[in-house]
């Protein structure tokens, strides 16, 4: 018998990998998509007559206008602004106001000041920095997949093959149709849609797998523990199917009681330490 307290003690505080912090490939793609236009706008840096130069440049190269939002760390092609002079919704797909009004925009947002005073030397480098900052907002989404990616790396290390012996994001309906097994008890007789992070198929068993990692506490952890306890108990009534849960994270300290209740009834509940100790090879034979 495993000891819950000893098991919980080995939970990790983080599983951030090398690609978690910045997606440079995405950044380079985004910058590359406007590289030509940014190079044209570079001619405004250090300009002594920036307003007239801006008007001449955007008249000759109207496509450069699409770069302006990213200079303000804004995604999209419209920017809203209001002050005592009025309310405006500027389009940067096609100018919807006079060039004079766009010069007002550039002056009031500080972009003219940024360029004419040579505060920056190159707009491509500047936008690369802006994109890097914006990309940090994507860490939450990347973090949501870290545990999945980690578990998958161990599945592959154990010799399992994607779409052959293991599958990603597979619904109960797909499992039933692929292997002629009745999982209706897990889906409330087909009324609920359930999708497993992974499904492993061996010669004698189908394994539905869930993965998650919690750095912080909250009510969601208690809900997850109760929900997975229910699935584990229901799965025991199905021949040829077992439920497996890989979870970790110091956030579980705040919900340890609910987790322990699930731990006590689940045959297959594992942590990262279990993965490191070769549990995948032991389960999926």
């Amino acid at each position: 018998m495993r000891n819950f307290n000893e098991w919980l003690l080995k939970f990790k505080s983080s599983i951030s990998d090398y690609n978690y912090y910045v997606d440079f490939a995405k950044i380079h793609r985004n910058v590359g998509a406007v590289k030509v236009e940014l190079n044209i706008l570079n001619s405004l840096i250090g300009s002594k007559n920036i307003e007239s130069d801006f008007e001449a440049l955007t008249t000759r190269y109207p496509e450069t206008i699409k770069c302006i939002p990213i200079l303000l760390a804004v995604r999209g092609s419209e920017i809203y602004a209001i002050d005592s002079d009025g309310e405006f919704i500027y389009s940067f797909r096609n100018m919807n106001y006079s060039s004079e009004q766009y010069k007002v925009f550039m002056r009031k947002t500080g972009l003219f000041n940024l360029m004419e005073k040579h505060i920056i030397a190159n707009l491509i480098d500047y936008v690369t920095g802006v994109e890097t900052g914006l990309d940090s907002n994507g860490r939450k989404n990347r973090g949501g997949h870290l545990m999945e990616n980690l578990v998958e790396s161990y599945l592959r290390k154990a010799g399992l093959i994607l779409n052959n012996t293991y599958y990603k994001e597979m619904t109960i309906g797909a499992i039933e149709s692929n292997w002629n097994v009745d999982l209706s008890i897990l889906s409330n007789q087909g009324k609920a849609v359930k999708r497993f992070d992974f499904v492993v198929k061996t010669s004698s068993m189908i394994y539905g797998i869930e993965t998650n990692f919690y750095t912080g506490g909250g009510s969601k952890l208690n809900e997850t523990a109760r929900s997975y306890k229910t699935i584990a108990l229901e799965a025991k009534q199905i021949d040829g199917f077992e439920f497996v849960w890989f979870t970790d994270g110091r956030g579980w300290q705040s919900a340890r009681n609910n987790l322990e209740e699930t731990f006590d009834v689940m045959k297959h509940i594992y942590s990262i330490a279990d993965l490191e100790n070769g549990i995948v090879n032991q389960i999926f034979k």
Side-chain angles (χ1 to χ4, degrees):
M1 290 289 293
R2 294 188 297 167
N3 181 281
F4 174 77
N5 292 323
E6 292 178 359
W7 181 69
L8 186 65
L9 195 62
K10 296 178 182 178
F11 276 25
K12 299 182 182 298
S13 58
S14 174
I15 52 170
S16 301
D17 61 13
Y18 295 102
N19 297 316
Y20 167 74
Y21 299 97
V22 178
D23 185 349
F24 280 112
K26 175 185 173 185
I27 290 168
H28 295 324
R29 285 195 304 271
N30 290 347
V31 175
V34 292
K35 188 174 182 178
V36 172
E37 292 81 4
L38 289 172
N39 270 321
I40 295 172
L41 286 176
N42 268 335
S43 64
L44 296 175
I45 294 176
S47 171
K48 302 300 182 183
N49 302 289
I50 196 165
E51 295 202 5
S52 59
D53 288 346
F54 173 80
E55 183 172 358
L57 185 148
T58 53
T59 300
R60 184 173 180 182
Y61 304 104
E63 67 275 14
T64 56
I65 204 77
K66 71 179 182 180
C67 298
I68 291 175
I70 195 60
L71 300 181
L72 296 171
V74 173
R75 301 275 189 213
S77 60
E78 290 187 342
I79 294 181
Y80 174 90
I82 185 172
D83 64 6
S84 59
D85 291 331
E87 180 179 9
F88 301 90
I89 301 176
Y90 295 88
S91 171
F92 293 94
R93 186 176 292 110
N94 296 294
M95 284 188 173
N96 58 333
Y97 299 116
S98 67
S99 59
E100 286 298 320
Q101 188 61 49
Y102 276 83
K103 285 188 277 187
V104 169
F105 176 90
M106 296 293 287
R107 180 64 68 189
K108 287 187 175 182
T109 57
L111 288 175
F112 273 165
N113 187 63
L114 189 73
M115 290 186 274
E116 70 181 335
K117 292 189 177 179
H118 220 300
I119 295 172
I120 56 172
N122 185 292
L123 285 173
I124 293 177
D125 293 342
Y126 170 79
V127 170
T128 299
V130 170
E131 286 284 356
T132 301
L134 288 174
D135 185 71
S136 66
N137 295 326
R139 288 178 188 166
K140 182 176 181 180
N141 291 332
R142 289 194 290 273
H145 293 285
L146 285 175
M147 190 64 172
E148 283 183 37
N149 296 340
L150 183 63
V151 170
E152 186 172 15
S153 71
Y154 279 94
L155 295 179
R156 290 178 173 175
K157 188 176 181 180
L160 297 175
I161 302 170
L162 180 62
N163 296 328
N164 184 315
T165 49
Y166 86 92
Y167 304 81
K168 296 177 69 171
E169 297 185 353
M170 200 171 198
T171 64
I172 284 177
I175 297 170
E176 290 177 323
S177 61
N178 276 15
W179 297 297
N180 193 31
V181 59
D182 182 7
L183 303 181
S184 58
I185 191 172
L186 301 181
S187 63
N188 190 20
Q189 307 303 317
K191 296 176 183 177
V193 176
K194 172 63 184 169
R195 184 189 306 271
F196 291 101
D197 291 334
F198 299 100
V199 171
V200 169
K201 178 67 174 73
T202 68
S203 59
S204 59
M205 188 65 64
I206 301 167
Y207 297 91
I209 302 170
E210 288 289 353
T211 68
N212 42 50
F213 185 95
Y214 295 106
T215 56
S219 59
K220 181 174 176 60
L221 283 80
N222 290 319
E223 294 169 7
T224 299
R226 286 192 292 265
S227 172
Y228 288 1
K229 177 184 177 181
T230 299
I231 294 174
L233 292 172
E234 291 172 342
K236 289 181 179 180
Q237 304 175 50
I238 305 170
D239 291 334
F241 180 86
E242 291 190 351
F243 178 52
V244 182
W245 183 17
F246 293 103
T247 193
D248 210 298
R250 294 287 173 82
W252 279 114
Q253 294 290 345
S254 65
R256 57 180 299 139
N257 292 337
N258 287 84
L259 182 61
E260 186 172 10
E261 287 182 14
T262 307
F263 180 89
D264 289 340
V265 301
M266 272 196 77
K267 177 182 178 182
H268 296 297
I269 179 171
Y270 305 110
S271 66
I272 293 173
D274 296 317
L275 286 168
E276 294 170 343
N277 291 327
I279 194 64
V280 169
N281 295 91
Q282 297 174 37
I283 308 171
F284 310 124
K285 297 179 180 178

